[in-house]
Amino acid sequence: MSDTILILGACGQIGTELTQKLRSIYGKDNVIASDIREGNAEMMSAGPFEIIDATNQEQILGVIQKYKVNQVYLMAAMLSATAEKYPLKGWDLNMTSLLAVLELAKEKHIEKVYWPSSMAAFGPTSPKMNTPQQTIMEPSTVYGISKVAGEHWCNYYHDKYGVDVRSIRYPGIISWKTLPGGGTTDYAVDIYFDALEKGTFECFLSENTRLPMMYMDDAINATIQLMQADEESIKTRTSYNLAAISFTPKEIAEEIKKYIPNFTITYNPDFRQAIADSWPQVIDDSAARKDWGWRHQFDLASMTKDIITSLQAKAEESAEV
Ligand code: SER
């Protein structure tokens, strides 16, 4: 049977690029984008789109039946900084959507589920350097609590009901096509835009705050690679550690200065500093590399080059119109 894929949260930072990539692989009509509200003109014209509230199991089922969907990527979530402001809303969105999709998989309406976890599942008592796949996980944020709980639900549905659910603990994801919203790692996206537009950036984390990060292209490739891997190779049904690069605000600023020599950065840490301080600095992802062959491509230098040249080309294009 050929695959028909539903993406919940397709208009978000990762969902947007994941939808594009999956459409290029599976064909545009075999990838159904959905979100709680309509997306931009490009999203609405590029293939099938449905309005779905990811916490509404019946709505999800309706679309699954309409298109004969057999795989769901659940990308709708409230990120760390926003969830600290709205704890119960964050918990509700992150958990209710996951349980809705897992139940649909248990009832055999779908064959395969992708659900993202995060490095935020770790907490202040986890080892910060080379954080292992299995270690102490006592998160101090609502987002992190929802991710640890979600990981255990995935594992439970796999073990008890045979649900084929696969998951990755993403580090901070850096993109330039669609902006993130409400995360603690968002500074590493904002910095490129401000560097090009204003030549200066005020960072909400302190200069030496080291966090695990990854370029969007690598994150998308990892996600699809995991979903396409043979079932026998997936040994972890909570969620896989995934890593590429780790850097500090100071280090990314230095890299940007190679392209914009007059760029300046100032530091004004806010409540997000405590969130960042509770997370790992460098993650050990050897299990993902061994089990399903994960390899990252971008380091800080190649990512910065790609983002700056892409944003400059985009600015030139819109200046010409
Ligand atoms: N990027 C996310 C956040 O900052 C972490 O998974 O909330």
Side-chain angles (χ1 to χ4, degrees), residues 79-80 118 143 170 172 183-185 279:
L79 294 188
S80 60
S118 162
Y143 178 67
Y170 290 130
T184 301
T185 55
W279 289 349

Side-chain angles (χ1 to χ4, degrees), residues 145-163:
I145 297 170
S146 76
K147 290 301 180 190
V148 175
E151 287 190 12
H152 289 292
W153 278 119
C154 289
N155 196 45
Y156 185 87
Y157 272 74
H158 174 264
D159 288 357
K160 300 279 171 189
Y161 309 124
V163 169

Side-chain angles (χ1 to χ4, degrees), residues 2-31:
S2 61
D3 290 315
T4 305
I5 295 171
L6 170 64
I7 301 165
L8 299 165
C11 297
Q13 184 202 12
I14 302 175
T16 304
E17 294 198 40
L18 184 62
T19 303
Q20 285 171 359
K21 188 68 184 269
L22 287 172
R23 281 188 168 146
S24 74
I25 298 170
Y26 293 90
K28 74 175 175 53
D29 293 325
N30 296 321
V31 179

Side-chain angles (χ1 to χ4, degrees), residues 77-285:
M78 191 184 287
L79 294 188
S80 60
T82 311
E84 287 309 288
K85 291 188 181 152
Y86 309 103
L88 297 187
K89 269 193 192 164
W91 173 259
D92 183 46
L93 171 58
N94 296 354
M95 279 301 95
T96 309
S97 58
L98 175 60
L99 288 170
V101 172
L102 290 176
E103 275 295 302
L104 291 169
K106 174 188 160 189
E107 290 163 9
K108 309 259 180 269
H109 294 292
I110 36 183
E111 292 163 12
K112 221 189 255 187
V113 175
Y114 179 77
W115 177 77
S117 184
S118 162
M119 61 162 164
F122 297 108
T125 52
S126 310
K128 288 210 180 300
M129 293 309 286
N130 300 325
T131 312
Q133 175 66 41
Q134 286 173 307
T135 186
I136 298 169
M137 299 181 82
E138 298 179 326
S140 55
T141 62
V142 171
Y143 178 67
I145 297 170
S146 76
K147 290 301 180 190
V148 175
E151 287 190 12
H152 289 292
W153 278 119
C154 289
N155 196 45
Y156 185 87
Y157 272 74
H158 174 264
D159 288 357
K160 300 279 171 189
Y161 309 124
V163 169
D164 187 358
V165 52
R166 305 176 181 201
S167 178
I168 282 171
R169 292 174 184 146
Y170 290 130
I173 305 296
I174 300 166
S175 60
W176 60 271
K177 291 183 189 157
T178 306
L179 300 185
T184 301
T185 55
D186 295 7
Y187 91 85
V189 174
D190 300 341
I191 192 169
Y192 288 105
F193 284 83
D194 281 10
L196 285 163
E197 283 162 22
K198 305 181 202 157
T200 182
F201 178 66
E202 185 179 278
C203 187
F204 59 73
L205 297 181
S206 63
E207 61 182 333
N208 294 321
T209 308
R210 184 174 302 283
L211 285 172
M213 300 277 189
M214 178 177 291
Y215 195 32
M216 180 64 87
D217 300 44
D218 277 331
I220 299 288
N221 286 339
T223 304
I224 296 173
Q225 199 184 340
L226 174 65
M227 284 297 271
Q228 291 181 339
D230 288 341
E231 205 168 340
E232 311 80 67
S233 65
I234 316 291
K235 311 274 188 242
T236 293
R237 293 291 180 163
T238 48
S239 188
Y240 275 100
N241 277 8
L242 198 74
I245 31 181
S246 284
F247 57 78
T248 65
K250 194 176 169 187
E251 287 165 357
I252 190 174
E254 288 306 319
E255 200 59 43
I256 290 173
K257 272 187 206 165
K258 293 182 185 164
Y259 298 85
I260 307 166
N262 296 329
F263 174 60
T264 55
I265 181 165
T266 56
Y267 301 94
N268 188 11
D270 66 13
F271 74 101
R272 288 168 282 194
Q273 184 66 46
I275 300 177
D277 288 342
S278 77
W279 289 349
Q281 295 183 0
V282 178
I283 284 178
D284 176 352
D285 65 351

Side-chain angles (χ1 to χ4, degrees), residues 50-90:
E50 297 280 339
I51 300 281
I52 299 181
D53 171 355
T55 62
N56 187 326
Q57 194 173 321
E58 254 173 66
Q59 259 181 33
I60 304 171
L61 179 59
V63 173
I64 286 173
Q65 289 173 333
K66 179 174 168 187
Y67 293 92
K68 300 193 171 34
V69 165
N70 69 331
Q71 290 187 22
V72 172
Y73 287 68
L74 169 51
M75 308 310 288
M78 191 184 287
L79 294 188
S80 60
T82 311
E84 287 309 288
K85 291 188 181 152
Y86 309 103
L88 297 187
K89 269 193 192 164

